[in-house]
Amino acid sequence: MLSELQLELKNQLVRFCSDVIEPHMEEDDKSENFRMDIYNKIGELGLAGVTLPEEYGGAGLSYEDLCVVLSEIAKSSVSYAVTLSVSTMSQSILNDFGTEEQKKKYLPSLTSGEEIGAFALSESHSGSDAAALKTTAKKVEGGYILNGTKMWISSGGIAKTYIVMARTGEEGHRGISAFIVRDGAQGFSYGKKEQKMGWKVSPTRELIFENCFVSDSDLLKEEGFGFKIALAALDKGRITIGSIAVGLAQRALDEAVKYSLERKQFNQPIFEFQGLQFMMAEMATEIECSRLLVEEAAKNYDRGHKNQKVACMAKLKATDTAMKVTTDAVQILGGVGYTSEYPVERFMRDAKVLQIVEGTNQIQKVVIGRSLKKEYTK
Ligand code: COS
């Protein structure tokens, strides 16, 4: 059950999404247009740094609250929800691992929503095997020189602050360090913008580093700590991706039920056909299971129990559910469901990559499997 505060947040966002986001979604999905003013307005609502301390301009709320916010935004736009989720993840890295100076310097413009934060781990040869990354950071007087290319970076080009993982030492995870790199840094440029199936409004780009100097003061924590920073951040990112999946699936179900109550065939609303009614009953049940699991995963983090297994289960269950439910919604709407006259085809396209980002669902199973082995061989 939602708390009073969560209910208030939800109601505020229902109005915001229908007035500010929803009117642009179909058109912007076609033109792949990200509107910074919409993101700025999310900031004005005080929601660009939900879980960050008030001291740095955040709202000081919980991960459970953040999940409510993201679910609600995802009902209108997965792209804006994801931008917010990734920006919050980069802020949480700064907050958890940054020095006081780094937090003061970088957090306020992110928590206020004036700027966006991004996270750069993947490379062409290291996706699931993230520890194999090749971008180098060579130590020089006063800092490091970065060389390499990051791939599939959400908010690439629109973000101003990037958390970049690069190799300062040996092969494997112990040689990886995390750096803060700003848009506009010399030697840092953007590569091609990816043409994607979904998430059309959220740009995905390559980041290219060619002798890019990063000062010592922009190293996070210490050399060799970057992989742990990335994985700890992904644990939370996986929960927030789960919450986006829940919102998206819920909206797809809403559309399917509404349509099936109105659409008549064989002299009755198609909702009355048990075949379809059972489909919707299953969709609703799967969404409820996902919501509860995401909530549980978020609660664990809020209570300080870092339960990686449950976080992975939440991401796995919620994103598989979003894929199934959005596909079924298209089926229920039939011919029109497949056209852009109704939003469900967009929902189905937006659902697919949720099963891939922040660790593929196969990687989630690897982590869950490892946890099981540990539990049963103690
Ligand atoms: N938080 C902090 N540290 C963690 C961690 C976590 N959740 N999980 C693992 N670590 C630490 C381990 O303790 C280990 O350190 P020590 O050797 O000092 O003990 C280190 O990280 C390496 O862990 P592990 O040996 O498990 O690493 P693997 O290379 O086997 O990979 C997986 C682990 C596959 C789980 C990891 O690479 C992964 O999540 N891959 C997917 C990457 C991803 O999500 N990419 C998407 C990017 S954003 S779209």
Side-chain angles (χ1 to χ4, degrees):
M1 210 179 78
L2 295 182
S3 69
E4 218 169 285
L5 172 83
Q6 288 165 354
L7 205 58
E8 213 175 287
L9 282 172
K10 191 177 147 98
N11 291 336
Q12 188 183 24
L13 281 166
V14 168
R15 280 193 304 276
F16 176 79
C17 290
S18 93
D19 294 348
V20 180
I21 300 186
E22 199 75 38
H24 299 294
M25 276 326 290
E26 291 309 317
E27 177 199 330
D28 286 357
D29 194 70
K30 288 194 187 86
S31 57
E32 305 194 355
N33 179 30
F34 179 86
R35 291 175 194 262
M36 193 62 205
D37 62 315
I38 291 188
Y39 192 83
N40 294 149
K41 283 183 186 142
I42 293 175
E44 283 161 24
L45 293 177
L47 302 176
V50 174
T51 54
L52 278 292
E54 290 174 76
E55 191 187 347
Y56 304 110
L61 301 180
S62 65
Y63 267 86
E64 219 190 317
D65 300 330
L66 175 62
C67 286
V68 171
V69 168
L70 291 171
S71 272
E72 216 44 54
I73 297 176
K75 287 181 187 173
S76 289
S77 168
V78 171
S79 291
Y80 287 104
V82 155
T83 308
L84 179 58
S85 167
V86 174
S87 187
T88 308
M89 183 164 88
S90 64
Q91 293 173 55
S92 84
I93 292 178
L94 290 165
N95 189 53
D96 294 346
F97 301 100
T99 60
E100 196 51 39
E101 196 193 333
Q102 287 169 336
K103 292 187 212 188
K104 281 198 178 125
K105 185 169 171 190
Y106 296 112
L107 280 176
S109 55
L110 294 170
T111 52
S112 67
E114 284 158 65
E115 291 185 0
I116 294 168
F119 174 81
L121 176 66
S122 302
E123 297 180 8
S124 60
H125 293 94
S126 60
S128 292
D129 186 8
L133 65 84
K134 288 194 167 69
T135 293
T136 53
K138 191 167 172 281
K139 186 77 191 96
V140 292
E141 177 81 33
Y144 296 81
I145 299 281
L146 266 62
N147 275 294
T149 301
K150 293 286 172 186
M151 292 279 291
W152 310 293
I153 307 307
S154 296
S155 303
I158 57 169
K160 296 282 184 212
T161 299
Y162 295 83
I163 307 294
V164 179
M165 262 49 73
R167 187 166 298 287
T168 45
E170 70 207 62
E171 276 193 13
H173 72 85
R174 292 204 175 88
I176 297 171
S177 304
F179 297 92
I180 307 163
V181 185
R182 289 281 293 171
D183 169 66
Q186 210 179 355
F188 170 29
S189 61
Y190 301 109
K192 70 173 187 318
K193 183 176 161 192
E194 303 294 347
Q195 296 299 306
K196 310 190 298 288
M197 171 194 276
W199 290 24
K200 296 276 192 186
V201 170
S202 154
T204 305
R205 281 201 182 81
E206 285 178 356
L207 311 185
I208 301 167
F209 300 97
E210 290 164 307
N211 294 325
C212 172
F213 177 79
V214 179
S215 87
D216 283 333
S217 61
D218 286 329
L219 168 71
L220 277 160
K221 207 159 160 82
E222 62 203 48
E223 272 190 29
F225 214 78
F227 194 68
K228 289 188 181 177
I229 290 177
L231 286 192
L234 281 169
D235 285 345
K236 292 189 236 179
R238 287 166 183 168
I239 301 171
T240 55
I241 288 292
S243 72
I244 291 171
V246 169
L248 176 65
Q250 182 62 54
R251 173 74 189 276
L253 174 66
D254 294 348
E255 294 293 329
V257 174
K258 271 193 294 183
Y259 182 85
S260 64
L261 285 168
E262 280 167 15
R263 168 82 172 163
K264 285 194 177 138
Q265 290 289 278
F266 306 101
N267 300 318
Q268 60 173 346
I270 58 171
F271 184 87
E272 300 305 334
F273 292 103
Q274 203 174 43
L276 293 196
Q277 217 175 86
F278 276 15
M279 257 169 101
M280 288 179 269
E282 278 170 27
M283 287 154 82
T285 308
E286 291 296 297
I287 295 169
E288 202 54 32
C289 289
S290 304
R291 190 190 329 274
L292 291 169
L293 201 46
V294 169
E295 203 178 290
E296 181 61 19
K299 271 189 187 144
N300 271 318
Y301 268 85
D302 289 333
R303 291 190 203 116
H305 305 148
K306 295 196 174 159
N307 194 330
Q308 201 189 7
K309 182 179 81 176
V310 178
C312 289
M313 286 175 167
K315 197 265 178 183
L316 172 66
K317 178 71 187 165
T319 59
D320 280 353
T321 296
M323 192 68 246
K324 173 87 171 66
V325 167
T326 53
T327 308
D328 286 350
V330 170
Q331 188 69 23
I332 290 166
L333 269 77
V336 293
Y338 195 65
T339 71
S340 58
E341 199 178 321
Y342 283 81
V344 287
E345 60 86 29
R346 166 163 61 93
F347 299 159
M348 186 176 161
R349 288 187 284 106
D350 282 346
K352 182 61 215 171
V353 79
L354 292 168
Q355 294 176 303
I356 299 169
V357 288
E358 313 238 354
T360 62
N361 282 5
Q362 287 68 30
I363 285 292
Q364 310 306 317
K365 289 178 196 174
V366 167
V367 178
I368 296 165
R370 286 181 182 183
S371 296
L372 287 177
K373 191 169 173 189
K374 231 188 244 169
E375 282 166 31
Y376 284 85
T377 52
K378 252 183 210 162

